[in-house]
Amino acid sequence: MTLISCSTTATQTPQPEANANTQNPIMPIVFTGEDTHVVLTDYLPALEADDQVLLNTEPSYQVINANAEGFTLNGDHTLSVLSVDVPNKGLHYDIPIVPQSQYEVGLTTKSFTDSTITLGVLNEYEHLQFRIFWQDTRAKEYVSYGQYDPEAVITIEKAWRESKGRSFIRVYAYGDGKHLNDILIPLQDGKVVNDVAELTRFDDHAQVLYSLMIDRFHNGNKKNDWKMNSPEVLDIVDYQGGDIKGIQKKIEEGFFEELGITTIWISPITQNPWDAWGMYPFANGNKYDSTKTYTKFSGYHGYWPIYATAVEKRFTTEQELHDMLATAHEHGMNVILDYVANHMHINSPTLKEHPDWHTDSILPDGRRNFELWDEARLTTWFDVHIPTLDLERPEVCSPMTDSALVWLDKFAFDGFRHDACKHIPLNYWRELGKKMKQRYPDRHIWMIGETYGDPALIGSYVKTGMLNAQFDFNIYHTAIDVLGKPEQSLKRMNNTILESLSAYGAHHTMGNISGNHDKCRFISLAGGAVRWDENDKAAGWTREIGITADGDKELEAHAYRMAMLLEVINFTIPGVPCVYQGDEYGEAGANDPDNRHMMKFNGLDANQQAFRAKVQQLAQMRRNNMALLYGEYIPVKVTDDMLHFQRVYMGDVVDVVINLNGESSITINGDKVFSI
């Protein structure tokens, strides 16, 4: 047994105090190459421009001004630490630097006492190094040893034991050229948290997220119903009456609690245009009205803001919004708001007053700058009526970040889901993060973003001063491929999970989705009602989409099973599981708008009821098991047809078996509790 000394580094500067559940430790710096460029305000957003900052990047010290563009880390890093002193504020921080090297699952937690934590070392390493942190203070030094020992013991120091509120012990390890999975151990008033009863809605890792589109969820106030009833707008893309009052009623009825939800993500509530925009031509007719050759759209979805700070009257009043948020909090739930920063509607008063605030719709080579998602990702327009804001300009960025904060100033939202993050420049996120830290230093705010791309791009936004998390679309796309397409291997699923853990940390809060309002319903892909090689948006306009194409009961059962395996993956791997409305009962459908039908609360058939019961079981299981919230992901056996992994926390073990051709199951400490 190796004893790890954890005497804290001697320093004369005070440490940031852990208070309640708001003081999450600073995210690590991920070393990405021989030279890694670091912008310090990405990690310490509240620094002022005139702060002189003393850096120790081991071994050299340097002084920078806090408003500097950044600095570069050089060298062959293994496990390193960036020590930051801010003398004029009396602050000291230690930020882990995770090396660029092969990721390996090599550590787990085994047991604890009031003063020690025992870690298990899963593999033999000739040399193993540890770095231990309590919040943003590192232990005195790491330990390196040259003989394999299956256990290592951390001492919980007196200062840590005497702390109040939530704090965290973090462990980073490096062995034989590989960086190991990090360890995250929550403390409450200085004692290891080993009971979910000690967790609250402010514990980010304990979230179960539910995504809903307000207009398509529940109509709680018929007085604010207002359809366009335009001959140019088919009813499927007109307002259907869902509103904030409807969400409040479902909270009061226990819908979310029964399902196991802790955080509700609502679609945008900024006022959208009252007239019709956009146009979708029907090359092969449409199933709703054979006389129509095209349709325009209402702004029922909320993504065309006319005013960035005004509530949509068809959804709510300010008082109804206050009431819904208060009701959610009374029931122990968070609410995060979908916020659109990338664009505004072309008729917005803001763009009328400042017609030069948007990017150019024509590229220098004369091409139209529309839907060039990667080639021109920071300037491209989504459509002709929603110009992209030129947020790289300070005179545009500053008021738009202020507009986002209005929703936190006026309402008790618990955070944001940010739309189209990859199309918004980093300076916007830095400014927003700085303003939030200065204005709400003790408020718990969780932010998750939407970015399609590789882990490097997605992760570039996930930093302490920017976003807490993003949706892990790579996990989602791999999962639906492996579960829905023929001749796929679960080895790919395991590899993608490990890639995410390496990129974002073994205890990230990235979102693992069942689907969203921009995706074809997976159950219809798995059942063949929508082909993988067809235009899934056009499919929904031209024919009725069920689960299968021909009512084949055996294929339908297979589709339900594959859809349930997607839920099993989301609820058992690291990250935050997210259910898109209707996926909890296996709602069928193609892509937009066929994936946005009104939510069904009654009249579910037997298969849908059984599916919902299983999802509810998974959500409650997730919420009530520390290993599924803070445990390590440990692959046990991986073949083309089977993925068996464990989640382990303080000796509690959850075994998850995903089997494409046999029984899939979840076992907790030897007892099978779930199977399909």
Side-chain angles (χ1 to χ4, degrees):
M1 179 179 291
T2 301
L3 183 65
I4 301 176
S5 173
C6 286
S7 298
T8 54
T9 305
T11 178
Q12 299 302 313
T13 55
Q15 305 303 313
E17 184 180 359
N19 51 18
N21 299 93
T22 63
Q23 188 64 32
N24 289 320
I26 296 171
M27 293 182 184
I29 294 170
V30 179
F31 193 75
T32 56
E34 292 186 7
D35 296 331
T36 290
H37 187 76
V38 175
V39 177
L40 196 59
T41 52
D42 290 354
Y43 299 88
L44 301 170
L47 289 178
E48 299 291 348
D50 59 351
D51 283 335
Q52 290 292 316
V53 178
L54 180 66
L55 304 179
N56 174 11
T57 57
E58 298 183 334
S60 63
Y61 283 84
Q62 59 179 306
V63 177
I64 66 169
N65 193 278
N67 68 346
E69 284 294 318
F71 60 95
T72 300
L73 299 174
N74 300 299
D76 181 20
H77 288 273
T78 54
L79 276 178
S80 191
V81 178
L82 175 65
S83 293
V84 182
D85 285 290
V86 190
N88 63 315
K89 291 184 177 178
L91 297 174
H92 174 86
Y93 304 91
D94 292 315
I95 306 175
I97 301 175
V98 178
Q100 183 185 42
S101 59
Q102 180 181 342
Y103 176 85
E104 183 166 281
V105 179
L107 290 181
T108 188
T109 55
K110 295 187 71 173
S111 62
F112 68 95
T113 68
D114 286 345
S115 59
T116 63
I117 296 169
T118 301
L119 304 180
V121 181
L122 302 177
N123 307 310
E124 293 191 26
Y125 300 98
E126 184 176 347
H127 296 288
L128 188 61
Q129 303 171 350
F130 290 91
R131 287 286 196 185
I132 301 97
F133 294 77
W134 177 71
Q135 292 299 89
D136 300 316
T137 306
R138 61 172 171 166
K140 184 175 183 180
E141 286 298 339
Y142 59 79
V143 172
S144 176
Y145 60 85
Q147 183 176 355
Y148 172 65
D149 195 325
E151 292 185 346
V153 177
I154 297 173
T155 300
I156 307 175
E157 294 298 317
K158 183 173 183 290
W160 308 357
R161 297 198 304 271
E162 293 177 350
S163 65
K164 298 299 180 183
R166 179 75 78 246
S167 62
F168 295 89
I169 294 173
R170 295 181 292 164
V171 182
Y172 298 87
Y174 183 84
D176 299 346
K178 304 169 184 175
H179 74 276
L180 278 56
N181 58 294
D182 58 281
I183 298 291
L184 182 70
I185 302 166
L187 305 181
Q188 178 63 33
D189 297 333
K191 295 184 178 181
V192 172
V193 176
N194 196 39
D195 187 344
V196 294
E198 297 182 68
L199 302 177
T200 74
R201 68 184 180 91
F202 300 115
D203 286 289
D204 296 339
H205 293 82
Q207 294 186 85
V208 176
L209 190 59
Y210 190 89
S211 166
L212 61 84
M213 183 163 281
I214 298 170
D215 181 63
R216 305 304 168 93
F217 187 67
H218 184 55
N219 192 341
N221 180 9
K222 294 186 181 298
K223 293 180 180 179
N224 63 17
D225 290 2
W226 187 88
K227 283 184 178 291
M228 299 181 70
N229 291 320
S230 165
E232 291 190 298
V233 178
L234 288 177
D235 187 66
I236 185 65
V237 289
D238 202 347
Y239 285 85
Q240 301 299 313
D243 48 36
I244 291 295
K245 196 67 177 178
I247 298 171
Q248 181 179 345
K249 287 184 176 181
K250 287 303 173 182
I251 296 172
E252 293 169 339
E253 292 172 9
F255 168 81
F256 296 102
E257 283 179 284
E258 180 182 308
L259 190 56
I261 303 303
T262 67
T263 300
I264 305 169
W265 152 25
I266 66 171
S267 55
I269 56 174
T270 48
Q271 185 179 327
N272 273 230
W274 288 60
D275 51 350
W277 290 84
M279 189 178 75
Y280 189 91
F282 302 122
N284 299 303
N286 77 89
K287 66 186 181 185
Y288 299 103
D289 186 339
S290 60
T291 68
K292 304 296 183 184
T293 58
Y294 70 93
T295 187
K296 291 187 175 182
F297 301 86
S298 71
Y300 73 92
H301 43 70
Y303 289 97
W304 300 341
I306 286 280
Y307 297 100
T309 59
V311 297
E312 172 56 68
K313 296 177 181 178
R314 288 163 287 195
F315 291 160
T316 187
T317 65
E318 290 193 1
Q319 187 57 54
E320 286 177 337
L321 185 55
H322 284 300
D323 293 344
M324 185 275 286
L325 291 168
T327 301
H329 294 160
E330 289 168 4
H331 286 75
M333 282 180 282
N334 303 309
V335 181
I336 64 173
L337 173 65
D338 200 323
Y339 186 75
V340 181
N342 175 75
H343 53 260
M344 295 191 74
H345 192 274
I346 199 166
N347 280 348
S348 70
T350 299
L351 289 182
K352 294 289 187 182
E353 183 178 352
H354 303 282
D356 63 331
W357 272 20
H358 59 71
T359 61
D360 198 334
S361 63
I362 304 296
L363 293 174
D365 62 8
R367 287 181 298 145
R368 300 176 76 230
N369 189 11
F370 290 89
E371 298 185 357
L372 300 177
W373 309 128
D374 296 305
E375 180 184 352
R377 70 180 178 88
L378 295 179
T379 63
T380 196
W381 290 24
F382 282 51
D383 210 333
V384 294
H385 60 284
I386 43 174
T388 289
L389 295 168
D390 193 356
L391 291 167
E392 291 186 283
R393 295 165 53 189
E395 67 270 26
V396 182
C397 184
S398 182
M400 294 311 297
T401 51
D402 287 338
S403 295
L405 296 182
V406 167
W407 296 99
L408 297 179
D409 286 340
K410 293 179 67 173
F411 304 102
F413 282 108
D414 301 287
F416 292 113
R417 179 268 188 186
H418 287 288
D419 185 59
C421 285
K422 71 180 275 186
H423 305 295
I424 300 171
L426 292 178
N427 62 284
Y428 174 91
W429 304 113
R430 291 181 179 123
E431 185 166 337
L432 179 63
K434 181 169 186 171
K435 289 177 177 177
M436 287 176 58
K437 186 64 175 177
Q438 291 174 336
R439 195 172 301 184
Y440 321 112
D442 298 318
R443 182 169 170 182
H444 180 269
I445 300 170
W446 186 74
M447 301 199 297
I448 187 168
E450 176 203 33
T451 293
Y452 291 87
D454 60 28
L457 176 63
I458 293 171
S460 67
Y461 295 87
V462 181
K463 298 174 183 177
T464 298
M466 294 196 279
L467 299 177
N468 302 90
Q470 296 223 60
F471 291 103
D472 197 334
F473 292 113
N474 295 313
I475 289 283
Y476 169 77
H477 289 131
T478 299
I480 65 171
D481 281 356
V482 169
L483 298 175
K485 295 179 179 179
E487 300 180 1
Q488 298 287 315
S489 173
L490 280 169
K491 293 178 181 178
R492 180 184 165 201
M493 186 77 253
N494 182 64
N495 289 340
T496 303
I497 294 170
L498 294 175
E499 287 171 3
S500 288
L501 298 178
S502 176
Y504 315 125
H507 297 277
H508 61 70
T509 57
M510 304 291 281
N512 299 318
I513 64 169
S514 66
N516 66 25
H517 57 275
D518 294 323
K519 299 289 186 184
C520 177
R521 297 280 186 173
F522 171 62
I523 198 168
S524 293
L525 287 167
V530 179
R531 300 188 310 275
W532 289 93
D533 62 350
E534 73 174 314
N535 183 324
D536 56 6
K537 184 172 290 192
W541 284 109
T542 55
R543 65 180 189 269
E544 295 298 329
I545 303 294
I547 295 177
T548 69
D550 56 6
D552 186 313
K553 294 301 182 183
E554 185 175 338
L555 184 55
E556 181 179 278
H558 170 78
Y560 271 111
R561 185 168 179 274
M562 292 301 105
M564 181 53 60
L565 288 182
L566 175 61
E567 302 289 355
V568 170
I569 290 171
N570 289 342
F571 277 99
T572 57
I573 65 174
V576 173
C578 177
V579 178
Y580 174 52
Q581 69 172 66
D583 280 348
E584 73 269 28
Y585 57 79
E587 173 75 13
N591 208 325
D592 169 24
D594 201 47
N595 57 0
R596 302 178 182 183
H597 294 288
M598 283 298 290
M599 178 73 177
K600 291 192 295 189
F601 297 99
N602 302 299
L604 302 181
D605 64 29
N607 287 331
Q608 291 172 326
Q609 292 180 47
F611 195 91
R612 187 188 185 283
K614 286 285 191 181
V615 172
Q616 178 180 330
Q617 183 183 357
L618 286 171
Q620 296 291 355
M621 186 187 309
R622 168 90 180 196
R623 291 186 60 179
N624 288 286
N625 190 283
M626 288 293 294
L628 290 176
L629 301 177
Y630 290 99
E632 287 68 60
Y633 173 89
I634 304 173
V636 176
K637 183 178 180 180
V638 186
T639 68
D640 289 337
D641 298 328
M642 186 180 73
L643 170 58
H644 175 194
F645 62 87
Q646 293 180 335
R647 300 291 304 279
V648 179
Y649 180 79
M650 296 301 172
D652 285 333
V653 180
V654 177
D655 282 274
V656 180
V657 176
I658 309 292
N659 196 329
L660 298 182
N661 297 312
E663 183 186 59
S664 298
S665 64
I666 301 174
T667 302
I668 299 177
N669 294 328
D671 295 326
K672 185 184 294 185
V673 297
F674 182 95
S675 64
I676 54 172

